[in-house]
Amino acid sequence: AGIETLKELGWLYLHGSSIAPDGPAPQRASYSDAVLIKRLEAAVERINPALPEAARTEAIRQVLVSESANLHEENRRIHRLLRDGVDVSYRGPDGRARGGKVWLIDFDAIDTNDWLVVNQFTLIEGQYNRRPDLVLFLNGLPIAVLELKNPADENATLSAAFNQLDTYKDQIPSLFRSNGFLVTSDGLKARMGSVTADEARYQPWRTLNGEDYEPPGRPELDTLLRGAFDRGTVLRLIRDFTVFVEDEKGPIKIIAGYHQFHGAQKALRQAVGAI
C-alpha cells in the first residue's frame, strides 16, 4: 500500500531484486553499494549541463568518499552538500583553474530530479546482510528508509520498527550517510524522525494541507506519505526545514513537524498576499 501511494505521488517503483547487481536490470556494481551511482551521475549531468564532466565527477567524488567515521557528522556534511550544492575546482578549456558549484538536487524543477522507491533492497556491509522494507532514492542517493511492520503480527510495534532501524544504522551505516527521513509504522500508527532522533522524537504527520486533520483511529501511514513525501514537500523539507544543532553528544538533526511546516507555509502565503 505504501508503494502504491508513493507511485501516485510520482515516485518510480522498482523491486530490489530487479536492480540488484545480479538482477535483470542492475543499478549498482556490488551489493555493498548504497548509492545508485549511474542514476546519480545522470541526474547531476541533467541538473548541471553547463559544467564540464570533470566538475561533475569531482562533486560526486565528494559525496561518495566519507570524511568521518561518525555517521551523524557525515550525515551533516552530506546534508550541507544536498542543500547548498558542492563547491568544486576544475580547469577550463583554456587550462586555467576555475571554481564552480555543482547541484545534486534541482530545487526549482521537481521533475528534473530522479525519484525512486525500492523494496527488498539488499545491502551487504562487512559481515552484515540486511534488507530494509522500503528505501527512497533521490537522484540515486538514499534519502529515506521506511520500516513497516505487519499489523497481523502481535510483535509489530512502533518500538520494534524503531529498534530495527537502529540496528540498520549500526550494521549498514552507508545507507544512512545521505538520509533525510526515517519512518516507522505498526500498520495503524506511523511516525517520522531523523537519523539522530531517539524514539520519543519520532512524530506523526497528521494533515495534507495544514487545515484538515485525520481523525484518531485511522491508519496514519497514508497521511504521512502523502503529507511528507509529496515530492515538492520533500524538497522543501530538505532545503528549508531541516537544521542541525550541537549538544554534548554531537550533532542533532531536527526535521520540522507538520504543524511547523504548514504554519510556515501559511505565514508565507499571508506575507505574499499582503505585499
Side-chain angles (χ1 to χ4, degrees):
I3 292 171
E4 290 304 314
T5 297
L6 290 165
K7 286 167 63 177
E8 290 178 23
L9 294 173
W11 295 75
L12 173 68
Y13 162 66
L14 293 172
H15 194 280
S17 62
S18 298
I19 65 171
D22 52 1
Q27 298 277 313
R28 51 190 176 136
S30 168
Y31 278 106
S32 63
D33 293 338
V35 175
L36 305 180
I37 296 176
K38 294 298 184 184
R39 300 186 88 95
L40 175 60
E41 291 174 339
V44 168
E45 181 177 4
R46 192 164 57 246
I47 296 167
N48 305 272
L51 289 175
E53 181 180 359
R56 301 194 301 266
T57 299
E58 168 59 17
I60 291 172
R61 185 199 67 79
Q62 291 189 41
V63 174
L64 297 179
V65 176
S66 295
E67 293 187 1
S68 172
N70 182 294
L71 175 60
H72 296 170
E73 291 285 1
E74 188 67 3
N75 186 265
R76 175 163 59 179
R77 183 183 74 87
I78 297 297
H79 175 77
R80 188 179 299 118
L81 299 180
L82 293 174
R83 183 194 63 201
D84 301 335
V86 185
D87 292 319
V88 297
S89 298
Y90 61 95
R91 294 202 174 274
D94 56 3
R96 294 183 179 181
R98 299 183 181 181
K101 187 180 288 290
V102 175
W103 291 96
L104 304 172
I105 298 174
D106 191 329
F107 288 103
D108 298 318
I110 292 174
D111 290 327
T112 304
N113 300 294
D114 184 318
W115 304 86
L116 176 67
V117 54
V118 179
N119 64 334
Q120 304 297 305
F121 183 79
T122 299
L123 189 64
I124 299 175
E125 196 161 339
Q127 62 180 316
Y128 299 109
N129 182 325
R130 294 293 178 256
R131 191 178 300 140
D133 288 337
L134 291 181
V135 181
L136 276 57
F137 294 86
L138 173 54
N139 297 337
L141 295 168
I143 62 157
V145 180
L146 287 65
E147 187 65 20
L148 313 176
K149 294 301 183 182
N150 183 350
D153 183 352
E154 63 181 13
N155 297 315
T157 64
L158 289 175
S159 292
F162 172 82
N163 291 335
Q164 187 65 69
L165 289 176
D166 242 18
T167 298
Y168 290 152
K169 284 188 288 183
D170 288 337
Q171 297 181 350
I172 49 172
S174 64
L175 185 63
F176 299 90
R177 292 175 62 247
S178 58
N179 182 269
F181 316 96
L182 296 174
V183 173
T184 60
S185 177
D186 62 2
L188 179 62
K189 299 177 182 177
R191 301 289 185 268
M192 185 170 76
S194 77
V195 72
T196 69
D198 57 28
E199 186 178 2
R201 295 291 183 181
Y202 278 57
Q203 299 296 319
W205 196 281
R206 299 193 184 281
T207 177
L208 303 184
N209 56 17
E211 303 291 340
D212 301 318
Y213 292 83
E214 287 295 320
R218 287 190 181 179
E220 298 175 350
L221 181 61
D222 189 69
T223 300
L224 188 152
L225 292 178
R226 294 184 186 277
F229 290 95
D230 170 83
R231 295 178 302 161
T233 300
V234 169
L235 296 182
R236 289 190 289 273
L237 286 172
I238 291 173
R239 184 183 62 186
D240 303 321
F241 292 92
T242 299
V243 298
F244 282 83
V245 298
E246 199 78 29
D247 74 356
E248 66 276 4
K249 297 181 181 179
I252 301 297
K253 188 175 191 176
I254 301 173
I255 307 168
Y258 68 92
H259 53 295
Q260 297 160 325
F261 177 81
H262 286 294
Q265 299 297 304
K266 183 177 181 179
L268 178 62
R269 289 193 298 269
Q270 291 174 340
V272 172
I275 295 176

